[in-house]
Each structure stands twice: as structure tokens, then as C-alpha cells.
Amino acid sequence: RVERLKQLAPQVAEMLGATPEQVATTVRAAELSKSDLVTNMVVEMTSLQGIMGEIYAVRQGEPEAVGRAIREQYLPRYTGDAVPASLPGLALALADKLDSLAGLFAVRAIPTGSADPFGLRRAALGVVNSLLATETDFSIRAGLAAAAKLQPVPVSDEVLAETKTFVERRLEGVLGELGYAYDVVAAVLPARGDNPAAAVRAADAL
């Protein structure tokens, strides 16, 4: 997975308009992104994943920007949680979630009813909420397509479309929670559902 993130995260960073320095930070953070998962601290207290990764990275001489991105990759952890504040952190967080969505939909590990063992609803919501909170333009379709190319299993166009629709359904729910009328949301999604930040601007305009 880290090998995939090392390729995907910088692509996402470039889609977000990152500078060369930010892209380099993203690559390094991706290389170290899962290192803390094998430490006794995180094995004992899994909620510290990313948090310990930042601490270990900075204490071993990595730039603070790299450590921050390692921590931010898991944000937001739940509704209302903080979102990544740095561009490398946002790029790595999006890449991590898009990788999960593309790969697990490809092997048909899709949530059913209340069962969602791999947290794909949370991942999709994390993508939507991060982009909305940071008012960042980003194509869900392009991000998923980039993630799909790196998967160890084939990801068909049908699966990509299904995954994109899954993310858009989370966006639909969030727009409703934000107070937009049903008919406004229904009008916006077909035209702007691929870009959550643009969807909110369109809903405001309507």
C-alpha cells in the first residue's frame, strides 16, 4: 500500500496545485505514512496511528511538514473532526482514502446495510468533508482513476463509476445536512457532483 501511496499521493498533490516542495514533502510523508503501525505503541493503542507517526518522524530528524502530513492522513476520523490543514496532508489523506475506495470496490468489498467492515462510508465522507472544509476544487473521478491504475487487481470503468456514485451519495447527504433544499441538491449533483467544493458554490448560487 505504501508503494501505491508513494505514486498516488504526489499525483493528487499536483491535482491540488502543489509546489515542487510540497510534492516532495508529500512523497516523503507517503514513504513513512504507515511506519508507526508496526510499533508497540500503536499496536497497543490504535487510535494513536498517525499521531505517533508524526512524533517518531520529527524526533528522527524529518521536517515538521512531513510529520504533520503523516498525522493528517487519517483526518477527519469522524464527523466534525479536524481536516488536514496542510496541502501535503490533504494530498496524502485523499490518496489514502481513494486507494481504499478504488481497491475495495474492485474486489466487491462494498458496504451492505449497516455492515461496513473497511470503513468505506467514513472514507468517502472524509474525502467530501475535507474538500468542503478547505474549499478545495478536486475531481473525484480523476482521483479515483489515478488510484485505480495502481491497484493490484483490475478496476473496470463500471467499478469506477460505481465508486464515484458512492462518494456522490455521501456528498448528497452532507449537502442535505448543510440545509440545502432537496430540489437544489438534485439539480446540483448531476452537474457538479464530481467536485464537492463546486457543488456547494452551485447550491449557493441556486
Side-chain angles (χ1 to χ4, degrees), residues 46-127:
T46 56
S47 63
L48 293 179
Q49 62 183 5
I51 296 171
M52 294 310 303
E54 177 183 29
I55 292 170
Y56 291 140
V58 172
R59 288 200 175 189
Q60 292 185 23
E62 295 293 336
E64 289 188 7
V66 170
R68 178 184 300 175
I70 292 171
R71 171 174 51 82
E72 290 180 335
Q73 70 178 300
Y74 295 106
L75 299 179
R77 289 181 168 88
Y78 49 84
T79 300
D81 191 17
V83 300
S86 69
L87 191 147
L90 178 60
L92 184 55
L94 291 174
D96 191 52
K97 294 168 178 62
L98 292 169
D99 177 79
S100 293
L101 287 161
L104 290 167
F105 263 76
V107 298
R108 313 314 293 161
I110 300 172
T112 55
S114 61
D116 186 10
F118 299 104
L120 293 184
R121 292 190 184 96
R122 184 174 67 249
L125 271 172
V127 169

Side-chain angles (χ1 to χ4, degrees), residues 2-179:
V2 168
E3 291 302 314
R4 293 197 302 273
L5 290 177
K6 283 164 56 179
Q7 299 178 68
L8 179 60
Q11 292 181 51
V12 172
E14 289 174 353
M15 293 177 192
L16 297 173
T19 64
E21 182 180 0
Q22 289 172 322
V23 172
T25 296
T26 303
V27 172
R28 184 57 177 159
E31 290 174 341
L32 300 173
S33 59
K34 307 301 180 185
S35 298
D36 63 340
L37 299 185
V38 296
T39 65
N40 288 335
M41 179 69 77
V42 176
V43 168
E44 289 295 326
M45 289 175 279
T46 56
S47 63
L48 293 179
Q49 62 183 5
I51 296 171
M52 294 310 303
E54 177 183 29
I55 292 170
Y56 291 140
V58 172
R59 288 200 175 189
Q60 292 185 23
E62 295 293 336
E64 289 188 7
V66 170
R68 178 184 300 175
I70 292 171
R71 171 174 51 82
E72 290 180 335
Q73 70 178 300
Y74 295 106
L75 299 179
R77 289 181 168 88
Y78 49 84
T79 300
D81 191 17
V83 300
S86 69
L87 191 147
L90 178 60
L92 184 55
L94 291 174
D96 191 52
K97 294 168 178 62
L98 292 169
D99 177 79
S100 293
L101 287 161
L104 290 167
F105 263 76
V107 298
R108 313 314 293 161
I110 300 172
T112 55
S114 61
D116 186 10
F118 299 104
L120 293 184
R121 292 190 184 96
R122 184 174 67 249
L125 271 172
V127 169
V128 169
N129 286 327
S130 293
L131 294 173
L132 291 182
T134 57
E135 299 181 355
T136 300
D137 286 308
F138 181 79
S139 168
I140 303 296
R141 182 189 302 108
L144 286 170
K149 291 178 181 177
L150 299 171
Q151 295 302 314
V153 295
V155 184
S156 67
D157 290 342
E158 290 182 359
V159 167
L160 273 180
E162 183 181 12
T163 312
K164 177 177 173 289
T165 298
F166 180 80
V167 178
E168 285 185 0
R169 289 289 172 267
R170 312 285 82 75
L171 173 59
E172 180 180 16
V174 170
L175 291 176
E177 291 170 1
L178 291 173

